[in-house]
Amino acid sequence: MNEQANKRVTIFDTTLRDGEQAPGCSMTLREKLRVAAALRDLRVDVIEAGFAAASPGDFESVKAIAESVEGPRICSLARCHPGDIERAARALEPAANRRIHVFVATSEIHRKYKLELAKDEIIRSAVDAVRLARESCDDVEFSPEDASRTEPAYLAEVVAAVIEAGAGTVNIPDTVGYTVPTEFAELFRYLREHVPNIDQAILSVHCHNDLGMAVANSLAAVGAGARQVECTINGIGERAGNCSLEEVVMALRTRAEHFGLETGIDSTKLYPTSRLVASITGMHIPRNKAVVGENAFAHEAGIHQHGMLKHASTYEIMRPEDVGLSRSNLVLGKHSGRHAFRERVEQLGFSLEDAELNRAFDAFKQLADRKKELFDSDLEAIIMNAETGSTGPWTIDELHISAGTGTIAAAAVQLSHADGRTIKEAAVGDGPVEAAFTALERATGIDLDLRNFEVRSVSIGEDAQGEVTVTVEYNGQSYRGNGVSTDIVEAAARAYLEVINRVARRTRHDSAEADSVAAKQAATI
Ligand code: KIV
Ligand code: ZN
């Protein structure tokens, strides 16, 4: 395969594996399935759905994505261990197109301190792993972890050996975000010159962002022959994150005359996918983030506005609609009907199932009663809630708060449970939020450990909605919840109740499972 002649860059998305590994970014199975469906609509080529051997939960999510997502190739990561490869192969079985991605570290630091293995032992384990993976999967990728800090001559030996063993893609990771563009491009050129069978594989790049150069380093590698880029939505990932998918894709597209390359991405889905991932992970997008940040297409300075009015290309290198951001911040009001609402949702790039659309429309009507103007960002918050929002068992019927300077804050709640119960509780606290949280805990009997509390304004104006994200711990597990309202104490209570509901559903599910195991055991005695 002549990579210079190949003009198509494969987009390998690892939001659900490397992205999800980041602290605070873990997702439930339902959330992963939503993200995987959005990645399919975005038309990524490969979805790295997880690391099947890492835990039973990871195995189940790779399998569920393999079962339900058609179109992209579904991939699982695996160490060079037979057990890992077997788990990856099993989880991927339902996928029409699958890939096993095996990796082992190759740099001197990792060989000496982490693996305690000699160079030839690492090559042997990599070759054995690729051969084994090929027995159950035609498409195998290999990554020499920490490649950018590996001796180039040794790296070339490893790469040649895994291609010989059957790896169709060889990925070169800058695992610790250490390299710089010129040096990294040089490494790709070196490999293309010194690996005799390099034309039999696709070269891939995988960059971390520790020095803020993940996108630049990935583009440098592409310029030097890489034809697969590994990246994540919003650049989420361990530490400072990974190469951002939306940035790398729009750089290749906007500077097509420079790179002469293309991807298969539907760029109009970038913005909604970015919002979905931000809402699910609670990792908010900075306003000035390239491509998908709120200010990415906002022009404040008078001289810029003047130029923009004469011709948008004076100050705009991409059109907002190219990334799925509709320019109109048109305001829907309380008289807008379901049809206009659906149309706006579609213009914003979201596709909701009927039940979700109905939920979102009800929420829209309620909000329109409380707020004069509804901006696109208000609609997005409603849509995210309709897409990801929890479905009980508890719902808030009433929440009363009394608070003020020099008085003790107090909260009273009335909750309904899906089984028909209604519970009233009250509590005092240091402030209205603490009082509301304590009242919710008393009413539901679920005590959470609050670890993080964030509040931000969804749109502009005095009656803007506030979005609260809470991160809590329960039984050693971390959970995240989101709540949106024009009243931030109510938004906080909704976020907290979302987590309580998750815990309640999980507890119910775990005890149902325990009952069924006990029943099976009793039946076999
Ligand atoms: O950063 C890294 O080296 C990785 C590999 C497993 C590809 O994520
Ligand atoms: Zn990585």
Side-chain angles (χ1 to χ4, degrees):
M1 203 171 313
N2 181 349
E3 284 182 8
Q4 289 284 280
N6 176 8
K7 298 295 173 206
R8 175 72 146 71
V9 177
T10 296
I11 298 297
F12 176 114
D13 180 276
T14 183
T15 306
L16 294 170
R17 199 277 298 169
D18 224 349
E20 211 246 352
Q21 246 166 262
C25 283
S26 60
M27 303 177 210
T28 63
L29 174 59
R30 186 162 161 249
E31 290 167 343
K32 287 183 188 175
L33 285 167
R34 285 228 81 97
V35 171
L39 294 172
R40 174 205 57 211
D41 295 345
L42 182 62
R43 301 212 201 109
V44 305
D45 300 288
V46 185
I47 295 177
E48 189 163 50
F51 184 172
S55 71
D58 279 61
F59 178 87
E60 286 310 326
S61 46
V62 174
K63 184 161 170 269
I65 292 169
E67 274 162 0
S68 65
V69 178
E70 274 175 40
R73 192 169 284 279
I74 310 298
C75 172
S76 170
L77 187 67
R79 288 168 300 181
C80 289
H81 297 171
D84 274 30
I85 294 167
E86 190 262 333
R87 293 292 279 168
R90 280 248 308 276
L92 292 170
E93 251 162 33
N97 297 310
R98 48 184 171 260
R99 173 180 295 182
I100 298 179
H101 176 189
V102 287
F103 77 101
V104 65
T106 50
S107 65
E108 189 185 3
I109 300 175
H110 282 244
R111 293 195 308 264
K112 199 160 147 191
Y113 298 111
K114 186 175 93 176
L115 301 172
E116 295 177 30
L117 288 175
K119 284 179 171 175
D120 56 339
E121 289 175 299
I122 286 175
I123 295 191
R124 225 172 309 138
S125 118
V127 164
D128 289 349
V130 170
R131 286 204 183 116
L132 182 64
R134 277 299 302 263
E135 284 174 20
S136 49
C137 190
D138 285 345
D139 186 340
V140 173
E141 170 171 334
F142 175 80
S143 286
E145 190 189 2
D146 206 15
S148 56
R149 293 193 299 170
T150 301
E151 306 88 317
Y154 175 56
L155 185 64
E157 246 184 88
V158 175
V159 171
V162 295
I163 295 175
E164 173 68 26
T169 301
V170 178
N171 180 43
I172 305 299
D174 180 29
T175 303
V176 290
Y178 180 74
T179 197
V180 297
T182 43
E183 175 190 74
F184 208 35
E186 195 45 51
L187 179 62
F188 276 76
R189 279 193 284 272
Y190 178 90
L191 291 174
R192 294 184 58 221
E193 271 165 31
H194 291 83
V195 176
N197 52 0
I198 196 76
D199 281 353
Q200 291 166 34
I202 300 271
L203 263 177
S204 164
V205 57
H206 176 115
C207 291
H208 282 263
N209 204 30
D210 298 64
L211 291 171
M213 285 184 283
V215 173
N217 287 332
S218 302
L219 290 170
V222 165
R227 287 296 176 267
Q228 172 175 285
V229 177
E230 301 199 352
C231 42
T232 61
I233 300 293
N234 300 336
I236 64 167
E238 294 220 62
R239 308 183 307 278
N242 286 56
C243 170
S244 138
L245 182 148
E246 54 283 354
E247 291 178 25
V248 87
V249 163
M250 287 313 286
L252 289 172
R253 181 184 154 133
T254 308
R255 300 304 313 278
E257 89 299 343
H258 174 79
F259 291 102
L261 298 169
E262 59 189 32
T263 71
I265 294 293
D266 174 359
S267 67
T268 64
K269 294 288 192 302
L270 287 172
Y271 185 75
T273 314
S274 156
R275 294 285 140 175
L276 178 70
V277 170
S279 156
I280 285 178
T281 58
M283 292 280 270
H284 297 304
I285 302 160
R287 279 179 194 272
N288 65 341
K289 162 99 167 62
V291 181
V292 289
E294 242 160 76
N295 289 358
F297 295 95
H299 300 272
E300 281 285 331
I303 190 161
H304 287 202
Q305 289 179 345
H306 177 71
M308 284 288 294
L309 288 174
K310 294 221 149 172
H311 203 288
S313 66
T314 48
Y315 285 101
E316 215 165 66
I317 58 166
M318 298 170 269
R319 294 178 312 158
E321 48 273 38
D322 293 341
V323 302
L325 183 64
S326 144
R327 205 187 271 278
S328 118
N329 227 345
L330 144 64
V331 189
L332 290 179
K334 64 175 172 188
H335 301 298
S336 311
R338 189 179 295 267
H339 184 70
F341 179 74
R342 178 191 284 273
E343 230 168 57
R344 193 79 198 115
V345 167
E346 280 165 12
Q347 276 164 9
L348 288 171
F350 296 93
S351 44
L352 295 186
E353 287 160 15
D354 284 347
E356 291 167 341
L357 191 94
N358 289 343
R359 263 206 307 275
F361 186 66
D362 289 347
F364 160 75
K365 281 287 177 188
Q366 278 173 27
L367 182 60
D369 273 340
R370 292 164 80 168
K371 197 171 180 297
K372 278 200 300 279
E373 297 175 308
L374 271 80
F375 297 98
D376 286 345
S377 44
D378 289 316
L379 295 196
E380 279 166 19
I382 289 173
I383 295 164
M384 292 308 164
N385 237 30
E387 282 192 315
T388 61
S390 78
T391 46
W394 294 101
T395 45
I396 297 178
D397 298 332
E398 287 174 29
L399 170 67
H400 297 283
I401 299 289
S402 87
T405 311
T407 64
I408 295 172
V413 289
Q414 180 177 308
L415 302 184
S416 306
H417 193 277
D419 65 9
R421 272 179 294 154
T422 300
I423 306 237
K424 289 184 183 166
E425 264 299 348
V428 291
D430 253 354
V433 171
E434 195 200 5
F437 287 0
T438 310
L440 289 172
E441 289 182 337
R442 284 192 186 150
T444 58
I446 293 177
D447 279 349
L448 305 174
D449 211 347
L450 182 66
R451 289 299 159 103
N452 194 35
F453 179 93
E454 278 175 45
V455 58
R456 72 175 193 110
S457 165
V458 166
S459 57
I460 50 171
E462 281 166 11
D463 61 355
Q465 294 192 93
E467 179 178 25
V468 171
T469 306
V470 292
T471 310
V472 305
E473 260 189 35
Y474 180 80
N475 267 353
Q477 263 210 284
S478 178
Y479 295 83
R480 216 177 23 255
N482 266 321
V484 180
S485 170
T486 46
D487 169 348
I488 57 167
V489 180
E490 184 187 323
R494 291 194 182 285
Y496 212 62
L497 192 71
E498 184 181 324
V499 177
I500 287 178
N501 276 330
R502 282 198 186 161
V503 170
R505 287 198 297 270
R506 171 168 284 200
T507 316
R508 212 168 40 182
H509 172 261
D510 288 352
S511 64
E513 237 174 36
D515 285 352
S516 106
V517 171
K520 274 186 201 146
Q521 280 170 345
T524 51
I525 287 168

